[in-house]
Amino acid sequence: MRSYEAYHELVEQALLHQLEGLGEMPAILREAMGYSLTAGGKRLRPVLLLAACEAAGGTAQEALPYACALEMIHTYSLIHDDLPAMDNDDLRRGRPTNHRVYGEGMAILAGDGLLHGAMELMLRDACGRGDLRGTRAAEAIARRAGVCGMVAGQVMDVTGEGTEPTPEKVAYIHAHKTADLLTAPLEAGVLLAGGGEELLRAAIDYGFHLGMAFQMVDDLLDVEGDAALLGKNTGMDAQLGKLTWIAVHGVAKTRQDAADHIARAVEAAGKFGENMNFFKTLAQSTLNRLQ
């Protein structure tokens, strides 16, 4: 397996190529899509997909269309999250949000373009294969990003603003809005490589616990983080009346619960055998991230 940085570089090199490969489109649409897609970031989701595929015996090259598609889906979700009708944010990754640059209408269309472009990339690759691995990977990503996954979590997030926070509501939001899109790359990567059921179950378990911890740390960073390092405004959760883990459990328990989920992710990573250290180190670094 490669280092995180090596996977990250593969994604960076491929993203614009995959965007260009979608074909002719209005110049302003391509510009708006590219503005957010190339804004940088950790590229955690596509890195996880490439790493999971290689850990299960596949290649990073065959997984690149799916990795780039997943980053497109993640980026579309951020563009829409930032809109005035949702979180109404002015900054994302240290730059003005998409709608602040291109207007609300074009930001919505840029998000739509990234979502549909992602589906096109995956299905184009899946149609060219002689097996169902690509189809199964695309289905896993679409399912976890869709109406029973990320979108479901976003619905609860938006409709829950200003309501009484409960453990059940917050757990649902964390599991779907965040953890589903961090489980998707693990599941899709193993499916692409044709990994066995035991490894697939471990990958899904790892992704879920990593995702839950990731969102808990996000909640902590919104309270304690440095806006300059985060590249976005802090204190927004309380201002919008968001249902967060902190709102229900407080800061100390949120930190402890995040650590517990990371411990369970590390345990699941043990099923990756000689490749476990990559996933173990990545999970442990989640607790100490600053952005």
Side-chain angles (χ1 to χ4, degrees), residues 39-234:
K42 295 177 285 294
R43 309 300 193 198
L44 175 59
R45 291 154 191 84
V47 165
L48 280 170
L49 197 154
L50 297 181
C53 186
E54 286 201 333
T59 67
Q61 197 59 40
E62 69 175 322
L64 268 174
Y66 301 84
C68 290
L70 186 56
E71 186 66 6
M72 288 180 179
I73 292 170
H74 176 53
T75 302
Y76 116 76
S77 75
L78 298 180
I79 293 174
H80 284 190
D81 269 354
D82 291 337
L83 288 166
M86 294 187 73
D87 289 351
N88 194 26
D89 271 324
D90 296 323
L91 285 176
R92 173 68 68 177
R93 292 172 174 168
R95 301 201 298 178
T97 47
N98 197 290
H99 69 275
R100 293 299 181 195
V101 177
Y102 296 98
E104 290 181 42
M106 187 51 60
I108 292 170
L109 291 169
D112 293 345
L114 287 166
L115 172 59
H116 290 285
M119 298 305 167
E120 184 178 339
L121 284 180
M122 293 190 292
L123 292 174
R124 183 186 298 169
D125 183 85
C127 287
R129 288 171 168 263
D131 55 43
L132 290 176
R133 291 179 183 181
T135 305
R136 293 184 70 195
E139 186 277 335
I141 290 172
R143 169 170 36 85
R144 290 193 180 276
V147 295
C148 296
M150 180 185 70
V151 174
Q154 290 174 318
V155 168
M156 185 65 80
D157 184 41
V158 170
T159 60
E161 287 181 9
T163 67
E164 183 68 25
T166 67
E168 294 77 19
K169 287 181 185 177
V170 175
Y172 185 94
I173 292 169
H174 281 50
H176 294 292
K177 184 179 179 182
T178 303
D180 265 331
L181 214 61
L182 280 167
T183 305
L186 278 299
E187 184 176 2
V190 172
L191 289 171
L192 274 173
E197 286 299 318
E198 184 180 5
L199 184 59
L200 182 60
R201 286 194 299 271
I204 291 171
D205 198 29
Y206 176 89
F208 171 76
H209 291 296
L210 178 69
M212 292 295 287
F214 191 93
Q215 185 56 55
M216 290 173 195
V217 173
D218 241 27
D219 291 353
L220 289 166
L221 288 173
D222 188 70
V223 173
E224 305 173 333
D226 184 331
L229 287 174
L230 290 168
K232 61 181 180 179
N233 296 318
T234 56

